[in-house]
Amino acid sequence: MEHRLMATAFLFNGERVLMMRKRGSRLYDAEFWSGLGGHLEPCELGCPMEACLREIEEESGIRAGEMTGLRLRYILLRLKEDEIRQQFVYFGQTEKTDLRASDEGELFWIDRKDWRSVPVSRIIACMMDYEEKHPDKWEVMVGTMSLDQDGRPAVQWSALNDPVVF
């Protein structure tokens, strides 16, 4: 079984979130929207934050020093055929609104209340739902996608903790 590691960032400017509209990819044929991000390079496997920072700069021109509060917010897991996909999702803020064009897709500032109105992957849609229902929860949440009893995609959420056990 293969394992695909990805890092994604949702950057906020006030009540707006930066999202990218993609016209398809090697994984998905139709138009879809996402945060900024991509796959981890072999040298980044131990530090998804490095991959996230690299992807943000490549896709938007926003550098690490132009963001505040960038932190790991979600770890999303799902099985796609014979591949386990693990996505590290970061949230942060930026004052920078002039963005560099990218071959990856078109960048748009979306009102946060409307970020669920664009087509996103099912697991990102579940993350957005969770975020809206728990806006004050700031621990890292792990979401595992599977099917509910009716055969529909669903995500089970758990806080990532480091309990002291002796």
Side-chain angles (χ1 to χ4, degrees):
M1 191 167 288
E2 297 292 317
H3 194 179
R4 182 181 303 267
L5 296 170
M6 300 164 283
T8 302
F10 288 93
L11 298 178
F12 295 88
N13 176 276
E15 288 301 311
R16 301 182 308 162
V17 61
L18 183 59
M19 294 188 72
M20 179 175 281
R21 179 173 65 189
K22 298 184 178 194
R23 303 270 186 208
S25 74
R26 62 187 169 137
L27 302 175
Y28 191 68
D29 291 334
E31 174 184 297
F32 69 100
W33 293 63
S34 69
L36 305 180
H39 299 93
L40 275 66
E41 299 294 335
C43 62
E44 299 165 333
L45 293 179
C47 189
M49 172 71 92
E50 285 181 26
C52 187
L53 292 170
R54 174 184 53 77
E55 291 284 352
I56 291 168
E57 186 167 355
E58 286 176 4
E59 295 180 355
S60 70
I62 299 172
R63 287 182 241 132
E66 298 171 316
M67 294 175 276
T68 58
L70 187 68
R71 64 185 291 276
L72 182 61
R73 183 74 186 93
Y74 295 95
I75 301 171
L76 306 176
L77 296 163
R78 67 180 281 233
L79 182 64
K80 172 80 168 150
E81 297 163 2
D82 66 342
E83 180 179 74
I84 297 171
R85 295 187 180 175
Q86 184 173 351
Q87 188 171 15
F88 299 91
V89 181
Y90 294 82
F91 280 23
Q93 296 81 37
T94 185
E95 294 299 318
K96 184 173 172 128
T97 57
D98 56 320
L99 307 169
R100 179 174 68 207
S102 165
D103 292 337
E104 296 289 325
E106 296 175 80
L107 295 171
F108 296 90
W109 287 104
I110 307 287
D111 286 344
R112 186 179 183 137
K113 65 181 179 352
D114 297 330
W115 73 334
R116 289 180 49 239
S117 66
V118 296
V120 295
S121 69
R122 183 70 187 127
I123 198 162
I124 292 294
C126 290
M127 181 206 75
M128 290 172 168
D129 287 342
Y130 186 88
E131 181 68 19
E132 283 184 2
K133 291 175 185 167
H134 305 92
D136 297 326
K137 229 175 189 183
W138 277 97
E139 61 241 299
V140 176
M141 297 302 295
V142 177
T144 305
M145 178 165 264
S146 60
L147 299 176
D148 66 14
Q149 66 257 20
D150 298 322
R152 293 181 306 235
V155 173
Q156 294 75 46
W157 295 103
S158 179
L160 185 63
N161 293 318
D162 185 11
V164 178
V165 179
F166 295 95

